Amino acid sequence: MDKAELRQLVDAANTRYTDPERNRNINEKPGEPPRFEVYHFFMSMCSYKVRGVLDEKDASYVSHDIDILPPNIQNYFPEYVRLRVKGGEAIPQPLVDGYTGRSSTETEGFDPCVVPTVVDHEAGRVLVNSKATCLYLDSAIDGGTELVPKDIEAEVIAQMDVVDRTPHVALLYGANPEGDGRPDFVTEMMKTAHDVKIAKLRENMALVPDDPVLVPAYEHKIVKEQKAKAFVRTESDMRVALAEFKALLADLEKQLETTGGEWLFGDRFTMADLFWAVSLFRIKWLGLGYIWASADGVHLPRVEAYGRRLFARPSIERSTIHWPNAPPSEHVMEFYGG
Ligand SMILES: N[C@@H](CCC(=O)N[C@@H](CS)C(=O)NCC(=O)O)C(=O)O
């Protein structure tokens, strides 16, 4: 898109994000203004992925670590949604209006009110689907780790799809039907999260009552959140989501039998590994790590060992485990000196 128009959209969005500790340059390189501007959140899985890729690629960027949790919810401001909707215009998926517990743009549609959003000032682009964004960053940035080697591109993308389509969101917002192991602050917050989100969406929509682009964007998001609230309170839906996790982890165990190296595709660390790192860390953080290792023993030994290697990867430590303010949970205290 036109770079001056993009600049205006970015500047307008940025008027809302001013805390210097959360709005700062990452990996600054002298004499080089950062090419990318990234709107993300310290505890968001899709943000972990994008930050992990930027770290592996040694990219510099302007980071806007915005609060997406109730009560603050800084991702519904009209200025931010307007910027994100620009990116949405460039993708084939329609606006989201349903909920299956996943965050994949490809299965759910385009959510205009979430993070991460990445602006590439050099190319004049706004990127809004974390999977597509990660692929884009890998090919657009010279140097760093080659995360999607050409000879195994289809296999790497197939694994990214597995993670992208796993119902992670359901098991953050809803309780595990086998026993809620979520950190207390999450359990407490999620009791009212959907109602608070819907109220905030209405509040922000009321600021732009005649906007022909933003009003439908908010309306679609409200429908999604209403359906999400019903889903996570329906035990049978949550059981299906949990069964899906178990099946996918059992598949991962089988896949790891054949790798012939430290990573999923031998000795090369790829985007598939980065996606699994984020997924396995979140699963463990939520108290679902018992699927592969519990007090009763190690049930999926390859997944357990693979997770250990992934969590020790410096890019994962920096972008996911130790990103500033990323809260630990009782299930991952070993990474925080506990
Ligand atoms: N399809 C999007 C989904 C992004 C997404 O679901 N983001 C979550 C955090 S991981 C979010 O911002 N949620 C806040 C909300 O729904 O208000 C992507 O892959 O980037």
Side-chain angles (χ1 to χ4, degrees):
M1 68 182 281
D2 177 70
K3 288 187 191 169
E5 188 195 341
L6 178 55
R7 187 78 259 168
Q8 271 181 4
L9 287 170
V10 166
D11 288 346
N14 292 354
T15 57
R16 299 285 200 157
Y17 309 127
T18 52
D19 176 353
E21 275 183 26
R22 296 182 66 147
N23 297 277
R24 62 200 173 100
N25 290 353
I26 304 291
N27 196 15
E28 220 168 348
K29 303 203 170 147
E32 268 180 51
R35 171 175 171 180
F36 301 102
E37 193 135 358
V38 182
Y39 301 82
H40 61 109
F41 176 53
F42 56 68
M43 210 186 96
S44 131
M45 258 192 77
C46 299
S47 302
Y48 292 160
K49 294 173 191 166
V50 166
R51 292 200 300 258
V53 172
L54 287 162
D55 188 299
E56 287 285 345
K57 304 302 283 183
D58 190 29
S60 51
Y61 60 99
V62 183
S63 156
H64 301 285
D65 189 339
I66 66 182
D67 190 354
I68 67 170
L69 294 179
N72 291 336
I73 313 192
Q74 299 176 310
N75 47 311
Y76 297 168
F77 295 138
E79 296 85 351
Y80 173 72
V81 178
R82 191 169 281 124
L83 170 67
R84 192 166 161 86
V85 160
K86 266 289 160 209
E89 286 169 4
I91 63 171
Q93 288 81 16
L95 277 168
V96 69
D97 56 13
Y99 185 82
T100 69
R102 292 161 235 284
S103 61
S104 167
T105 308
E106 285 155 25
T107 62
E108 312 302 292
F110 167 58
D111 187 327
C113 303
V114 290
V115 295
T117 299
V118 174
V119 173
D120 180 351
H121 285 289
E122 200 173 297
R125 290 186 63 163
V126 183
L127 301 142
V128 292
N129 162 0
S130 59
K131 178 196 148 194
T133 302
C134 289
L135 290 171
Y136 174 85
L137 293 172
D138 185 52
S139 62
I141 302 170
D142 292 331
T145 313
E146 187 188 8
L147 291 166
V148 189
K150 276 280 157 264
D151 58 317
I152 48 169
E153 186 178 10
E155 291 89 335
V156 170
I157 293 178
Q159 286 296 317
M160 290 168 70
D161 280 336
V162 171
V163 174
D164 194 43
R165 295 169 188 194
T166 305
H168 270 285
V169 199
L171 282 141
L172 173 67
Y173 280 80
N176 174 0
E178 289 181 350
D180 189 2
R182 292 174 299 170
D184 289 345
F185 85 92
V186 174
T187 302
E188 203 41 48
M189 182 183 291
M190 295 316 174
K191 287 180 185 161
T192 53
H194 297 101
D195 292 335
V196 176
K197 286 170 85 173
I198 291 166
K200 268 273 184 213
L201 287 159
R202 295 214 163 102
E203 206 179 282
N204 281 283
M205 185 164 67
L207 300 174
V208 286
D210 303 317
D211 193 301
V213 175
L214 294 193
V215 168
Y218 284 121
E219 281 172 344
H220 278 255
K221 174 69 168 168
I222 289 169
V223 172
K224 173 185 170 183
E225 294 306 324
Q226 286 163 337
K227 291 187 178 165
K229 181 180 168 186
F231 184 106
V232 301
R233 283 167 172 68
T234 306
E235 195 182 319
S236 53
D237 285 341
M238 293 301 290
R239 284 205 179 274
V240 171
L242 181 66
E244 220 169 301
F245 269 90
K246 291 185 175 178
L248 290 171
L249 289 168
D251 285 352
L252 178 62
E253 178 77 9
K254 284 206 197 89
Q255 175 92 10
L256 287 166
E257 272 172 35
T258 61
T259 157
E262 285 206 302
W263 309 118
L264 212 43
F265 298 102
D267 294 325
R268 287 179 289 181
F269 181 88
T270 70
M271 193 86 83
D273 300 303
L274 195 144
F275 270 45
W276 273 115
V278 165
S279 174
L280 294 180
F281 189 73
R282 172 54 59 90
I283 295 172
K284 206 171 156 58
W285 188 91
L286 285 170
L288 292 157
Y290 71 88
I291 297 173
W292 67 83
S294 68
D296 300 341
V298 178
H299 317 297
L300 302 174
R302 291 184 180 83
V303 173
E304 160 73 8
Y306 179 55
R308 303 257 151 228
R309 290 194 288 279
L310 291 172
F311 304 149
R313 179 102 179 161
S315 66
I316 300 304
E317 286 192 325
R318 287 189 292 256
S319 64
T320 297
I321 304 173
H322 293 296
W323 183 266
N325 302 317
S329 83
E330 66 199 88
H331 311 289
V332 294
M333 285 316 291
E334 68 212 85
F335 304 109
Y336 300 88

